[in-house]
Amino acid sequence: MILLDYHNVIIKDCLETRLKGTKKDALDMTIVDFDGVTYHLATPDSRNILHISLRWQCYKELVQYGAQEVLQREYPEYLTSPEPDYDVTLAIDLDTVPQDEETREALIRKVSLLKRNLLAAPFERAFAEQEQLEDESKPNPTAELMAVHYREEEAIYIKASADRVTVLFTTKFKDETDKVFGKVFLQEFVDARRRPALQNAPQVLYTAREPPLELRALNLQPDEDMSYVTFVLFPRHFNREVREETISRVQIFRDYLHYHIKCSKAYMHTRMRARVTDFLRVLNRAKPEIAAGDRRTASGRTFRRS
């Protein structure tokens, strides 16, 4: 099983080159990440000041759920005014970054996780709401259904309850082959929890076409191409020791699913091409050899080529 990285590899490599090496050339680079995220890396004013900007269609929704507080907590000294057409911009002075290796590694890791940290905001709010709902001595908040439309026609829905946090993904399969592969993969997620070794894993529910009951208030219409995957997270899945890892893994689920669908299709095509090649070899060996005989003209005379 291949797990995708939570961070952006290109940003990580770029920062490592500039913080650990001596390369400080002028830079102007646009990067496209999963889920329609666009990054812009540039040195507009000085080669020592690196600007990292992000644009995402769901940014305004994330701000409603606490994304600005997350940015202030994670990048307080690097936040600056966003550049035009972008939502967030970090400005890093390469000359003032501490020289010790551990601090630089932490900075590189943190900046390359910019997208992940933004999307963590609704998860953190849901976990906090669950703790309040669970504690009878605290005033219970009204748990809202948080919707993040992070892709065209797809969304993540998160809602806290007294004993759990429900995370629901909608994913749309536009290709018939993807729909078949996706159904197999998603059903395996549901069936895998029946194994004794995975009894403590989050519960996974899968439905197709019809929206689940958690979304009935949204009046979503049935869609033949739409699938719904529900993760039921209990407090043991997001306690303080494992919370950050849980957020990262749940976020990457949709990319993980479609990545493995594409890998499966590529494997099937490779096997099909290999099998066709084997059949062609068999057919070539089965061709009868034509013995060289006398050649005749139209009048019946025979001749041989010298």
Side-chain angles (χ1 to χ4, degrees), residues 51 53 62 77 125 141 196 212 215:
H51 285 201
S53 302
L62 294 174
E77 65 272 36
R125 172 174 287 193
L215 303 181

Side-chain angles (χ1 to χ4, degrees), residues 153 172 208-211 220-228:
E153 301 183 281
K172 192 164 189 174
R209 189 178 181 275
E210 295 287 343
L220 299 177
Q221 298 301 317
D223 190 337
E224 294 291 343
D225 299 330
M226 190 69 74
S227 296
Y228 300 88

Side-chain angles (χ1 to χ4, degrees), residues 31-57:
I31 305 169
V32 178
D33 202 351
F34 291 118
D35 304 325
V37 175
T38 303
Y39 292 100
H40 183 217
L41 279 64
T43 52
D45 303 321
S46 169
R47 295 185 179 184
N48 297 328
I49 308 296
L50 176 63
H51 285 201
I52 301 173
S53 302
L54 175 145
R55 180 174 64 241
W56 202 358
Q57 67 175 27

Side-chain angles (χ1 to χ4, degrees), residues 233-251:
L233 305 177
F234 295 100
R236 65 176 180 272
H237 298 131
F238 52 86
N239 58 45
R240 298 296 176 180
E241 289 76 20
V242 300
R243 175 171 297 186
E244 297 302 319
E245 184 67 17
T246 297
I247 293 175
S248 298
R249 292 199 176 189
V250 173
Q251 283 185 15

Side-chain angles (χ1 to χ4, degrees), residues 48-276:
N48 297 328
I49 308 296
L50 176 63
H51 285 201
I52 301 173
S53 302
L54 175 145
R55 180 174 64 241
W56 202 358
Q57 67 175 27
C58 64
Y59 178 75
K60 292 182 179 179
E61 293 177 326
L62 294 174
V63 169
Q64 296 176 7
Y65 305 135
Q68 196 63 40
E69 290 76 9
V70 173
L71 290 174
Q72 291 290 347
R73 183 189 69 204
E74 298 292 335
Y75 314 100
E77 65 272 36
Y78 303 115
L79 281 175
T80 186
S81 300
E83 68 172 281
D85 299 326
Y86 285 86
D87 301 309
V88 181
T89 297
L90 305 180
I92 303 175
D93 189 342
L94 302 177
D95 292 337
T96 61
V97 176
Q99 296 295 324
D100 63 287
E101 190 72 17
E102 184 176 351
T103 303
R104 293 198 167 203
E105 286 289 348
L107 174 61
I108 292 170
R109 178 73 176 173
K110 184 187 296 185
V111 174
S112 62
L113 287 171
L114 177 58
K115 172 199 166 190
R116 179 263 175 209
N117 290 335
L118 281 173
L119 191 54
F123 289 88
E124 293 181 3
R125 172 174 287 193
F127 296 158
E129 288 178 352
Q130 188 278 328
E131 291 175 355
Q132 282 190 298
L133 291 169
E134 187 179 33
D135 190 348
E136 297 181 355
S137 63
K138 295 181 180 179
N140 291 336
T142 302
E144 63 174 317
L145 178 64
M146 293 178 281
V148 181
H149 296 84
Y150 68 118
R151 295 179 62 90
E152 293 291 339
E153 301 183 281
E154 297 185 21
I156 302 175
Y157 299 94
I158 308 170
K159 186 173 183 179
S161 303
D163 61 340
R164 70 191 66 186
V165 171
T166 304
V167 182
L168 198 148
F169 284 83
T170 65
T171 183
K172 192 164 189 174
F173 298 109
K174 298 181 179 180
D175 185 83
E176 288 298 325
T177 307
D178 287 357
K179 193 182 300 184
V180 174
F181 277 100
K183 183 177 181 180
V184 173
F185 273 108
L186 294 173
Q187 192 60 46
E188 180 62 23
F189 272 94
V190 177
D191 297 339
R193 195 170 180 270
R194 299 173 185 173
R195 303 173 188 170
L198 299 177
Q199 288 299 306
N200 291 326
Q203 184 181 5
V204 182
L205 306 174
Y206 164 64
T207 57
R209 189 178 181 275
E210 295 287 343
L213 294 178
E214 291 85 354
L215 303 181
R216 61 178 178 270
L218 301 179
N219 296 321
L220 299 177
Q221 298 301 317
D223 190 337
E224 294 291 343
D225 299 330
M226 190 69 74
S227 296
Y228 300 88
V229 186
T230 305
F231 291 90
V232 182
L233 305 177
F234 295 100
R236 65 176 180 272
H237 298 131
F238 52 86
N239 58 45
R240 298 296 176 180
E241 289 76 20
V242 300
R243 175 171 297 186
E244 297 302 319
E245 184 67 17
T246 297
I247 293 175
S248 298
R249 292 199 176 189
V250 173
Q251 283 185 15
I252 207 72
F253 166 74
R254 194 266 179 197
D255 301 326
Y256 167 86
L257 171 65
H258 284 263
Y259 173 77
H260 281 276
I261 288 175
K262 290 176 173 59
C263 288
S264 298
K265 291 169 67 176
Y267 174 76
M268 293 288 290
H269 292 162
T270 301
R271 295 292 299 170
M272 290 164 61
R273 287 193 293 268
R275 182 57 60 91
V276 169

